[in-house]
Amino acid sequence: MRSLARRTERAFTGQYWNSKDDGVFQCVCCGQPLFDTKTKFDSGTGWPSFWQLLEENNVSLVADNSWFAKRTEVTCSRCDAHLGHVFEDGPRPTGLRYCMNSAALKLAPRATEK
């Protein structure tokens, strides 16, 4: 059972779409680390977008053929929460755009090294 509905918030309305704060974005449901803010970029879409995952194993990619389109859904690999979608129109070096819902994310301070 999904922790978050498979719905997408309206563009330019989420808490993090234009955030410039530093830290690590985590899954709002289980706290799993997902994205470093250093990989966040302005995609012009109105949703927080990232060009790289923090750890590949922290998400699952699922075929999504809803709304008459072929997309790839991104879910949390720990709790199966819907996070957003990934597209192949992002910047270098990956060419990917992880387009996430602000409601699915929680920004945490970056861990300090001792």
Side-chain angles (χ1 to χ4, degrees):
M1 181 185 223
R2 296 229 185 258
S3 301
L4 289 176
R6 288 184 184 227
R7 296 184 354 211
T8 299
E9 64 200 10
R10 287 190 336 256
F12 305 102
T13 63
Q15 177 180 2
Y16 299 119
W17 79 269
N18 199 25
S19 172
K20 306 279 192 256
D21 294 336
D22 186 44
V24 174
F25 282 102
Q26 301 174 338
C27 173
V28 73
C29 295
C30 72
Q32 176 150 261
L34 302 168
F35 299 97
D36 190 304
T37 56
K38 293 177 182 177
T39 66
K40 188 175 185 286
F41 70 99
D42 182 1
S43 65
T45 63
W47 289 282
S49 296
F50 306 87
W51 53 266
Q52 184 176 1
L53 294 165
L54 197 58
E55 295 288 335
E56 299 248 347
N57 293 334
N58 290 3
V59 302
S60 299
L61 303 179
V62 181
D64 176 1
N65 297 320
S66 63
W67 294 98
F68 307 104
K70 286 189 172 200
R71 303 181 297 176
T72 303
E73 179 186 12
V74 181
T75 62
C76 176
S77 65
R78 183 186 292 163
C79 72
D80 203 31
H82 172 77
L83 302 172
H85 291 86
V86 62
F87 303 94
E88 295 180 351
D89 60 358
R92 291 181 184 200
T94 64
L96 298 174
R97 173 174 54 97
Y98 291 90
C99 190
M100 302 292 100
N101 286 304
S102 288
L105 303 174
K106 176 177 75 172
L107 183 58
R110 186 178 309 282
T112 56
E113 294 183 29
K114 294 183 179 184

